[in-house]
Amino acid sequence: MHYVDEGSGPTILLLHGNPTWSFLYRNVIKELQGSCRLIAPDYFGFGLSNAPSDFDFSPSSHASVVKDLIERLDLEDIILVVQDWGGPIGMSYAIQNSANVRGLVVMNSWAWEASIPQKLFSLVMGSWPLGYMLQTRLNLFARKIVPQGIFHKEKITDELQKAYTEPFPTPASRLPTWVFPRQIRLSRDWLRAIESRLHLLSDKPTQILWGAKDEPGFRPVEMRRWQSHLRSHRTEVLDDASHYVQEDRPDRVVAAILSVIQRTPR
């Protein structure tokens, strides 16, 4: 498993989604590495991480690996930063280890049974054989969906597109990007179980940072659901950000992390 581990200070764990990797947080890491310890893993099969031959790429399995990483690195007093699939993967750890979570930064994500639009997305992108072919043959998520999820189109350079497509050079390597949309439906019970325990995090200082241009991906209704669970939240809605907030407004991600640090003096 590849992960970035930079700087010293408060521990910040940065979790990505599909089909991204630690590269997504590069600008956040550059800004904060002088004052924080920033850990950004690449899930098995993403970025620079390989995967065991028997790994199933389900979100619950990714969550188990993240938990193992936290324990192996002996990470304590964590500020958890999540987006996309990082939401349920990170919250899976947080609800079981709330005493080790200092605070939360939540971007466009969810941690409960999928909505009808999300299930429809799953039915297409995670289907067999159509969705499978779209992901494994065309590398659709990395080639098309990532650029569509960035509001500031001037940031979509050849270098950026290469960074997100190169981790998936072969049809076999793209399998994880198909499993994730498929699991939107298949992980229903796991997602329900996470939501049932989100109340354990209601007192954690939280910054909700929401890209407003993420239709039809993660709408304001998902933001309000986070707010209902995480009562100690402060929310910032970004009118110039879409799904990949880290690409559109890394400066606000930095500000959100610093706000949690300030709200949780040690």
Side-chain angles (χ1 to χ4, degrees):
M1 186 180 197
H2 170 265
Y3 60 92
V4 174
D5 189 347
E6 293 285 344
S8 60
T11 301
I12 318 297
L13 182 61
L14 307 159
L15 298 181
H16 66 84
N18 187 29
T20 54
W21 54 296
S22 55
F23 176 82
L24 181 67
Y25 287 101
R26 65 198 179 282
N27 294 314
V28 175
I29 293 168
K30 288 177 185 176
E31 187 67 26
L32 291 177
Q33 62 186 355
S35 57
C36 300
R37 182 184 179 187
L38 301 118
I39 298 95
D42 300 342
Y43 307 144
F44 282 168
F46 291 82
L48 302 179
S49 289
N50 295 317
S53 59
D54 60 347
F55 193 72
D56 65 6
F57 302 108
S58 69
S60 60
S61 295
H62 287 304
S64 295
V65 176
V66 168
K67 180 177 183 291
D68 190 41
L69 178 70
I70 292 169
E71 293 174 352
R72 285 172 182 263
L73 296 181
D74 196 23
L75 303 183
E76 296 180 346
D77 213 20
I78 298 166
I79 293 175
L80 192 60
V81 182
V82 302
Q83 182 260 346
D84 194 85
W85 274 107
I89 288 170
M91 295 305 156
S92 176
Y93 175 83
I95 60 174
Q96 298 176 67
N97 303 273
S98 60
N100 199 35
V101 176
R102 175 173 174 174
L104 303 164
V105 176
V106 177
M107 291 169 278
N108 297 45
S109 184
W110 86 115
W112 42 79
E113 184 178 357
S115 65
I116 290 176
Q118 290 166 345
K119 288 177 180 177
L120 291 174
F121 177 84
S122 175
L123 281 169
V124 176
M125 296 297 179
S127 65
W128 171 270
L130 175 61
Y132 180 84
M133 297 297 289
L134 289 173
Q135 310 321 324
T136 62
R137 299 299 174 183
L138 301 180
N139 202 12
L140 187 71
F141 256 95
R143 290 180 58 249
K144 297 295 184 182
I145 293 181
V146 169
Q148 289 174 1
I150 298 173
F151 179 77
H152 289 279
K153 300 305 181 188
E154 72 278 5
K155 295 189 176 186
I156 306 172
T157 62
D158 291 343
E159 180 184 8
L160 183 138
Q161 291 190 294
K162 184 178 179 181
Y164 286 122
T165 56
E166 280 201 339
F168 309 108
T170 65
S173 70
R174 299 165 192 161
L175 179 65
T177 71
W178 173 68
V179 173
F180 261 147
R182 187 171 178 82
Q183 287 290 323
I184 291 172
R185 290 171 293 117
L186 300 184
S187 290
R188 177 184 61 186
D189 293 342
W190 181 72
L191 290 163
R192 283 178 174 174
I194 293 172
E195 183 179 28
S196 72
R197 298 179 67 189
L198 285 178
H199 65 276
L200 299 173
L201 306 174
S202 62
D203 63 340
K204 297 295 180 182
T206 300
Q207 296 292 130
I208 297 175
L209 192 62
W210 208 260
K213 306 301 184 183
D214 195 12
E215 296 285 353
F218 290 90
R219 304 159 299 160
V221 65
E222 274 88 29
M223 178 187 72
R224 291 190 291 270
R225 197 155 174 175
W226 280 117
Q227 291 171 328
S228 71
H229 287 299
L230 305 174
R231 298 301 183 113
S232 297
H233 73 85
R234 295 176 183 173
T235 297
E236 181 180 2
V237 177
L238 301 173
D239 290 329
D240 64 339
S242 183
H243 183 64
Y244 298 102
V245 179
Q246 303 95 319
E247 292 291 353
D248 279 318
R249 293 299 306 271
D251 59 318
R252 299 317 302 159
V253 181
V254 168
I257 293 169
L258 292 175
S259 179
V260 173
I261 292 172
Q262 292 164 1
R263 293 171 63 190
T264 55
R266 290 292 185 271

